Amino acid sequence: MWYISEPYCLGRLSYLCAFRSNSMHHIKFNSVFFSVAVLFSLLLFSCEKEVHINLGSSPTTPVVQGAIENGLPPYVFLTSTIGFFSTVDLATLEASFLHGAVIKVSDGTKTVTLKEYTLDTGSNGNKLYVYSIDTTDPMVGVPGTIYNLTITYNGTTYTSSTKIPSLKGIDSMWFDTPLFKRTKTPDSGKQIFVNFTDPDTPGNYTRYFTKRNSQQFFASDQYNDQVVNGQKLTQIPLLGGYVKNRDIKNEDSLRYFFPGDTVTVKWCQIDKGVYDFWNTYAFAQNALGNPFSSPINVQSNITNGALGVWAGYGSVSITKVVP
């Protein structure tokens, strides 16, 4: 149920109109009419009724989060959409996984069928599920190669295609005082800066990830070269990645790094379909809960109405210790 308030006192109009009389002089009528209009407006907007709107339910839709990276095997998380008002926790997520799908990845020469594996989250017995290669039939990503994905689930087939672009890493990386330091940011906090030379061919797209010490990689942002094609870009400020819907209270610390931290930046070349997905996803995430933002559709590169992304990453990593 969804609750809204609306004016509900239109029935009082007939009562207010009884003030009007044909025997009134014109000027008196105008005065009374103005008073009635003001009174009616006050009554109209002061009366509210709670209206219950049953939003009903909509059919679930498959959601794909899959990727293949140079030197690494392909993987696919296959889930279904979750209700907007649902409580999202590990149990809800575990229940959303779709099992028994036939998922194939082809590089144009070889086709492999992915196998479903179980991942233990270590929390209350909750599990996650992922489709990846069978160890007896390996496949790893190769730069410059197009990979086609086919998913057959419950009698419906979904397809996608992605390319691992040629590798192009950053030229150099260092740490310095943050450009826009927040009041809660510790004084010792440092920001990543990089130099990068964009290839001279247009249509290059980048997404980068950061890793702190032994933690996992977290995605941060994505760029395109529409304005800077072929240019040498200097002193590009980067922010550390973090889980934006979970770690927002610690944002001031997680965006930056501190002396002694071992920091790895994974700089990934991606194709336009992958860029469009993550870019529209970021806009939609930032607009969530903002009453002044415009709604935006996240652009999936999966066919047949499925949501999500099948992404090829051409990644090059660089690691440095914060001085």
Side-chain angles (χ1 to χ4, degrees), residues 2-309:
W2 183 35
Y3 302 93
I4 62 171
S5 296
E6 65 172 10
Y8 194 73
C9 298
L10 299 180
R12 301 194 182 190
L13 179 60
S14 59
Y15 171 78
L16 294 174
C17 286
F19 282 100
R20 180 173 178 176
S21 171
N22 290 332
S23 61
M24 293 181 180
H25 296 295
H26 183 68
I27 187 170
K28 186 175 181 181
F29 167 75
N30 286 342
S31 177
V32 173
F33 184 79
F34 177 77
S35 300
V36 169
V38 172
L39 180 60
F40 170 68
S41 298
L42 292 173
L43 290 172
L44 181 67
F45 290 103
S46 65
C47 301
E48 295 181 345
K49 179 182 177 180
E50 191 176 71
V51 177
H52 297 244
I53 297 179
N54 189 347
L55 297 180
S57 59
S58 57
T60 57
T61 302
V63 180
V64 178
Q65 185 173 342
I68 183 167
E69 183 178 332
N70 51 293
L72 296 176
Y75 68 85
V76 173
F77 289 98
L78 184 64
T79 59
S80 62
T81 50
I82 299 172
F84 184 80
F85 297 106
S86 299
T87 299
V88 179
D89 52 23
L90 283 176
T92 305
L93 183 59
E94 180 179 353
S96 73
F97 279 91
L98 302 180
H99 307 284
V102 177
I103 302 180
K104 297 183 178 182
V105 176
S106 174
D107 62 5
T109 301
K110 178 180 180 180
T111 299
V112 297
T113 299
L114 305 189
K115 178 181 177 181
E116 186 175 6
Y117 294 91
T118 302
L119 305 176
D120 192 347
T121 66
S123 176
N124 298 322
N126 294 121
K127 293 178 174 55
L128 304 181
Y129 303 88
V130 62
Y131 293 85
S132 191
I133 60 168
D134 190 319
T135 54
T136 61
D137 192 16
M139 172 186 279
V140 295
V142 177
T145 305
I146 295 174
Y147 293 90
N148 298 306
L149 174 72
T150 303
I151 299 174
T152 302
Y153 176 76
N154 202 21
T156 303
T157 298
Y158 309 91
T159 63
S160 184
S161 180
T162 190
K163 180 179 181 179
I164 297 181
S166 299
L167 306 184
K168 181 64 178 75
I170 57 181
D171 301 333
S172 57
M173 163 183 160
W174 69 96
F175 303 91
D176 208 335
T177 303
L179 281 183
F180 303 102
K181 194 171 182 180
R182 299 191 175 189
T183 55
K184 294 183 181 179
T185 303
D187 292 337
S188 58
K190 300 290 184 181
Q191 186 168 7
I192 302 172
F193 291 85
V194 302
N195 292 336
F196 175 71
T197 302
D198 185 74
D200 58 5
T201 55
N204 295 288
Y205 304 89
T206 300
R207 188 170 192 238
Y208 75 90
F209 301 75
T210 64
K211 177 182 178 181
R212 185 194 312 264
N213 300 320
S214 60
Q215 298 176 3
Q216 68 187 77
F217 279 103
F218 291 103
S220 186
D221 210 343
Q222 50 281 326
Y223 304 108
N224 67 64
D225 68 347
Q226 187 173 1
V227 177
V228 298
N229 177 58
Q231 297 183 26
K232 182 176 179 63
L233 308 175
T234 60
Q235 297 184 327
I236 306 171
L238 305 183
L239 293 172
Y242 59 94
V243 182
K244 291 184 174 146
N245 61 341
R246 185 190 70 190
D247 296 330
I248 189 66
K249 292 182 179 179
N250 299 321
E251 179 184 9
D252 292 325
S253 295
L254 294 173
R255 288 156 51 102
Y256 305 112
F257 301 90
F258 302 90
D261 281 344
T262 299
V263 179
T264 301
V265 173
K266 182 187 288 189
W267 192 260
C268 302
Q269 302 304 303
I270 56 178
D271 64 24
K272 186 178 186 302
V274 177
Y275 171 82
D276 287 341
F277 172 82
W278 287 116
N279 200 44
T280 54
Y281 176 86
F283 273 107
Q285 188 178 44
N286 291 334
L288 190 63
N290 184 351
F292 303 105
S293 62
S294 299
I296 186 170
N297 291 325
V298 178
Q299 297 182 25
S300 172
N301 67 350
I302 315 292
T303 67
N304 217 3
L307 305 175
V309 66

